[in-house]
Amino acid sequence: MVPLKDAYAGAQLGVTADLGYWYEAPHFAIEPRVGFATSADTTGDRRFYEVPADIGIFYVLPIGNVALYAGGGAGVRYLYEFRREVVTVGQVIRTQHVAEREDKGFGFSAYGRAGVMLLRNSSLSLMTSLGYSITLKTINERSNPQAVSAGVGLVF
């Protein structure tokens, strides 16, 4: 997971884990899922965690034992963010202090995801994905955190 702009406490990278149910018909799939995302540096000055609960619909284009898929969904996410920042006040006489800012709350979210499913006709398939997400929430005075993500998953 890579946060965009100054989202997710301005952290550089995040790690995610999701658990979902992939129900597949001949040309579409439905996937409800829950997950957990956290900053890669969990003890630093900029850290976050997120708990998404989403449902998505995907178009599946089967090509034999390989399938391309693309789609998106929506849901709700719980966000927590911690930032430690140096704050400077004043024009003539300047003062600085270290501010610790915490914020948390729920927000509605939307996402898009596309990828390739390998070994589709076997009992264990491998999925690769590239996704984008946005959460409609102001957290620590920053609106609508966004991120891109890449992933690998198993379907059985």
Side-chain angles (χ1 to χ4, degrees):
M1 167 180 195
V2 179
L4 298 177
K5 298 183 182 178
D6 197 25
Y8 294 95
Q12 298 293 320
L13 289 173
V15 179
T16 66
D18 295 322
L19 180 62
Y21 178 77
W22 182 265
Y23 173 78
E24 190 173 334
H27 292 289
F28 75 94
I30 298 172
E31 180 194 38
R33 68 179 178 153
V34 295
F36 183 78
T38 185
S39 48
D41 180 9
T42 59
T43 61
D45 290 343
R46 298 175 174 270
R47 57 188 185 264
F48 70 89
Y49 69 83
E50 173 184 64
V51 180
D54 299 321
I55 187 163
I57 299 174
F58 300 90
Y59 175 75
V60 180
L61 179 63
I63 308 170
N65 208 17
V66 175
L68 303 175
Y69 67 94
V76 66
R77 293 169 190 237
Y78 178 79
L79 299 166
Y80 167 82
E81 182 177 290
F82 173 84
R83 294 172 182 258
R84 185 173 292 130
E85 302 173 322
V86 176
V87 177
T88 304
V89 178
Q91 295 284 335
V92 177
I93 299 174
R94 293 179 173 246
T95 60
Q96 289 186 339
H97 79 281
V98 176
E100 292 185 353
R101 299 179 179 186
E102 274 185 296
D103 200 359
K104 59 188 170 196
F106 287 92
F108 290 105
S109 64
Y111 71 94
R113 196 169 77 222
V116 178
M117 185 183 296
L118 305 169
L119 305 171
R120 185 168 178 261
N121 297 329
S122 67
S123 61
L124 181 66
S125 300
L126 178 68
M127 296 178 77
T128 62
S129 66
L130 183 62
Y132 165 82
S133 67
I134 183 170
T135 303
L136 304 176
K137 170 84 176 141
T138 298
I139 189 160
N140 270 334
E141 301 173 6
R142 286 147 178 101
S143 297
N144 306 330
Q146 303 171 47
V148 295
S149 60
V152 176
L154 295 174
V155 177
F156 51 92

